[in-house]
Amino acid sequence: MARPADGVAWITGASSGIGRATALRLSRDGWRVACTARGAEALATLAAEDPAGRLLPYPADVTDAEAVRGTVARIQAEHGPIALAILGAGTYAPDSADEFDLAAFRHIVELNLVATAACIEALLPDWRARRQGHLAVISSVAGYRGLPGAIGYSATKAGLIAMCEALRFDFRRLGLKIQLVSPGFVRTPLTDRNRFPMPFLISAEEAADRIVAGLARDGFEIAFPRRFAFLMKAARALPYALYFPLVSRLTGK
């Protein structure tokens, strides 16, 4: 794992949920953390809650690739190299074929998938030159298979999984580290919208603890809660003739 002595950490989606909890956890571990989200006020509130004063607000819209490049350049100019990046900016909204909305689908693809790629593009020139950098991308177990009510969400999380798998080969060659974070249900403002039972639900603070613990290990994927992640991985192996009836029965969809 990258260390605080190597540079600063950068977290996108830092104003709420997993990103917020992870920023606070890394600060407790001695990291200076550049925190990015669209809401400047929320980032200022987060920074004020950090007793160590190590959280550094860098508001930006990560769907704007030029703004992302500028944000990364500012962080590097003001605080030195970015040693660890945790890319967690994303959104979720229930969707279905009943009212399929291309604009809403495009928005979730731009934020969850394309914006993550924009952040990676901005990080790589410096990381390639120094042959040093640690990247963690927050996906979801919802990317393992298509789930009802999550057309855009499952599609983008599956895309993040495949993108990280593909990048792993190049990162290893370049001397860089990449990890995929695949949470199950975590209590956040996004999951608060759900009106269905969420098995193995954990807090954002517990998710942050598991992410930080996983960053210190060599494994490619950090998946949790373990029992739920195991069940979802098992579902990946099911043939369609079994998968569709099983999920329909479990979800009532």
Side-chain angles (χ1 to χ4, degrees):
M1 179 181 175
R3 300 167 300 171
D6 298 328
V8 298
W10 180 40
I11 298 180
T12 66
S15 62
S16 64
I18 295 174
R20 187 180 192 280
T22 305
L24 289 165
R25 168 59 198 268
L26 287 179
S27 174
R28 292 199 301 272
D29 289 348
W31 282 92
R32 289 173 298 146
V33 185
C35 300
T36 293
R38 284 179 298 178
E41 185 175 340
L43 291 178
T45 300
L46 171 61
E49 292 180 12
D50 176 29
R54 298 192 185 100
L55 301 187
L56 315 166
Y58 280 87
D61 180 354
V62 293
T63 63
D64 182 341
E66 191 60 37
V68 169
R69 294 186 198 103
T71 299
V72 168
R74 282 182 54 216
I75 295 168
Q76 292 170 333
E78 295 171 7
H79 300 286
I82 295 172
L84 169 66
I86 301 175
L87 305 182
T91 190
Y92 159 75
D95 50 11
S96 72
D98 297 310
E99 296 180 352
F100 190 81
D101 184 336
L102 179 59
F105 184 85
R106 179 175 284 122
H107 171 69
I108 196 170
V109 170
E110 287 290 332
L111 179 54
N112 290 11
L113 185 58
V114 179
T116 302
C119 294
I120 294 171
E121 180 200 47
L123 289 163
L124 277 175
D126 178 65
W127 283 6
R128 284 195 300 259
R130 295 190 298 113
R131 297 187 69 84
Q132 187 175 18
H134 185 172
L135 174 66
V137 173
I138 298 181
S139 179
S140 169
V141 298
Y144 290 166
R145 297 210 71 157
L147 296 175
I151 300 169
Y153 190 73
S154 283
T156 54
K157 295 303 183 178
L160 288 176
I161 291 170
M163 181 173 70
C164 289
E165 290 173 346
L167 281 169
R168 169 67 169 72
F169 298 97
D170 291 329
F171 268 56
R172 185 175 181 86
R173 174 175 53 82
L174 294 168
L176 309 176
K177 182 174 181 178
I178 182 171
Q179 290 179 288
L180 174 71
V181 181
S182 302
F185 290 112
V186 178
R187 185 173 297 283
T188 69
L190 292 180
T191 56
D192 285 345
R193 303 173 184 176
N194 292 337
R195 295 295 178 264
F196 56 83
M198 292 180 282
F200 306 106
L201 179 69
I202 64 173
S203 68
E205 290 72 23
E206 184 175 352
D209 289 342
R210 297 193 185 197
I211 290 170
V212 172
L215 293 174
R217 296 192 290 266
D218 290 332
F220 171 69
E221 186 179 32
I222 304 167
F224 56 87
R226 290 181 181 177
R227 285 177 294 172
F228 190 50
F230 174 81
L231 291 173
M232 293 298 292
K233 285 179 182 291
R236 277 200 298 193
L238 292 177
Y240 290 129
L242 294 177
Y243 174 71
F244 290 130
L246 176 63
V247 174
S248 294
R249 190 177 307 116
L250 291 175
T251 63
K253 300 289 186 180

